[in-house]
Structures are given as C-alpha cells and as structure tokens.
Amino acid sequence: MPPQTSSAAAWHTPSVSLFTSRYTCTMKTSLALVAASLASASAFVPAPKAPQTTQLNESLFSKLSNLDLWAPVADSNEYGARAKKNLKTGSLTEKSYVPTGLTKAQYEKIRSDADAKKAANYKKNVAKAGVFMDYTEFYTKRGSDENGAWMKLPNLGHRMAKTKYDWSGENADEPVWTGVSAKKKAPAKKGFTFGKK
C-alpha cells in the first residue's frame, strides 16, 4: 500500500502554488502600473534650464536712465502733434443719430464746420508755440534801467491782461452781475458854515 499523505499536506500544496502564481501576476501588473505612472508624470516635468546670471552689462543707473518709453513715437507729445495723428469725426450712416428737425446733410455740415473751427483754433495756437517776449526788451521799454519813473505808473510797470470790459468803473460797460458799476459823481458840497445865513 502506498504511503498516505496527510490530508493537511495535500490541501496546502495546491493553494501555495495558486497563491504564488496569483502573487506573481498581481506583482507584474503593479509594476507595470507604477512604470506607466512614472513615464506619464515625467512628461510634465519641465526641462532643465541653463543657470541665469544676474550680472548687468551696464550699471543700474545707466540702465534706468537709458530707458526711453517714448522711443517708438518720440514726437507724439510735442506741441502740434495732433495734426500728425489720425483723428477725425466719424461719418454718418443710415443708423446714425441725426437731431430732429435736421437732415443728414445739414447735420454733416454742422459737424464738419465744428471740426474746421476746432482745427483752425488748434493751428492758431500751434503757431504761437515757442514765441516768447524778450525780458530785456520789456525791462528797457518800462524804463527800469534808467530811473524809478516806472514806480509812478498806475500798474508799477506791469502789463495787465486785456479784458472784455473796462473794469475802471468809469465807462459803465461792465456786466451788472459783477456788482461793479460806474461811480456816480456826488453833488458838489456847499461850503460849511456855522449858524444861519
């Protein structure tokens, strides 16, 4: 009779081999998942950069003082530069606003007249740019270099601004709302006497 093995030994032998085969299969799958995860994660890692230096080729002061923010449009801030810019009033279309009582042509004429007036005023002011009065000429014309006669002048030799009205109060042409009015001449007083005449 063949030797009998214990039922416990027979029971454990197939399960050990089953366990090891399952364990090997699970381990291979786990290793494959870990490798795939590492490969996909490494795709998002940034490439190594060359080290950057903080050394300036020029001094900080020269770097800052040589900055020119207006370099592309150097003359855009000069007086009279508006004429070089493409500024215009938009043209009227069928959907544009036209005031009641006016035709489209009448409204376009009003707008073009306003543009022409604005451009003429700007051109007039640009022509005055850079025109200055010579102080020496003013000083000698006033008489300051000779004697003190200018101190007896009504404005001490200063030029006064030209205004629309004569504010002296003598001509009665000033606006009423200012409260300034022409001085009324008082009647001549009779001589003062004591007692009755």
Side-chain angles (χ1 to χ4, degrees):
M1 184 166 151
Q4 282 192 337
T5 58
S6 68
S7 63
W11 179 257
H12 289 295
T13 306
S15 73
V16 169
S17 66
L18 183 65
F19 175 73
T20 54
S21 66
R22 280 187 187 168
Y23 179 73
T24 310
C25 189
T26 308
M27 195 66 173
K28 287 180 184 175
T29 307
S30 299
L31 286 175
L33 286 174
V34 168
S37 299
L38 288 174
S40 63
S42 66
F44 295 103
V45 173
K49 294 181 181 177
Q52 295 179 347
T53 64
T54 57
Q55 181 180 2
L56 295 174
N57 295 335
E58 55 186 333
S59 70
L60 181 64
F61 177 76
S62 354
K63 187 93 169 167
L64 293 175
S65 61
N66 290 335
L67 287 175
D68 188 6
L69 301 177
W70 291 99
V73 283
D75 62 345
S76 67
N77 226 13
E78 291 178 5
Y79 199 63
R82 188 193 297 175
K84 298 175 191 171
K85 297 177 183 176
N86 187 19
L87 301 175
K88 60 182 180 180
T89 304
S91 58
L92 296 176
T93 63
E94 294 301 320
K95 295 182 179 180
S96 297
Y97 168 77
V98 177
T100 306
L102 293 177
T103 64
K104 183 178 170 186
Q106 290 171 330
Y107 190 48
E108 283 176 340
K109 182 176 181 342
I110 290 171
R111 286 164 49 118
S112 63
D113 290 346
D115 287 345
K117 183 179 176 184
K118 184 177 178 182
N121 187 40
Y122 186 73
K123 190 174 179 182
K124 177 184 77 171
N125 288 327
V126 168
K128 295 181 201 175
V131 178
F132 302 103
M133 183 180 76
D134 184 19
Y135 180 73
T136 308
E137 179 186 337
F138 160 76
Y139 193 74
T140 54
K141 192 184 286 184
R142 185 174 81 165
S144 304
D145 60 336
E146 297 165 5
N147 55 28
W150 57 273
M151 294 180 80
K152 296 177 185 164
L153 296 174
N155 297 323
L156 294 176
H158 294 285
R159 289 188 180 173
M160 301 304 284
K162 186 172 153 184
T163 61
K164 184 175 181 179
Y165 303 106
D166 176 20
W167 297 98
S168 66
E170 297 173 358
N171 296 332
D173 68 341
E174 59 279 330
V176 180
W177 51 266
T178 61
V180 177
S181 59
K183 297 175 186 172
K184 296 180 181 175
K185 296 189 178 185
K189 292 184 178 180
K190 298 179 182 175
F192 181 76
T193 56
F194 287 102
K196 296 182 181 177
K197 275 193 171 180

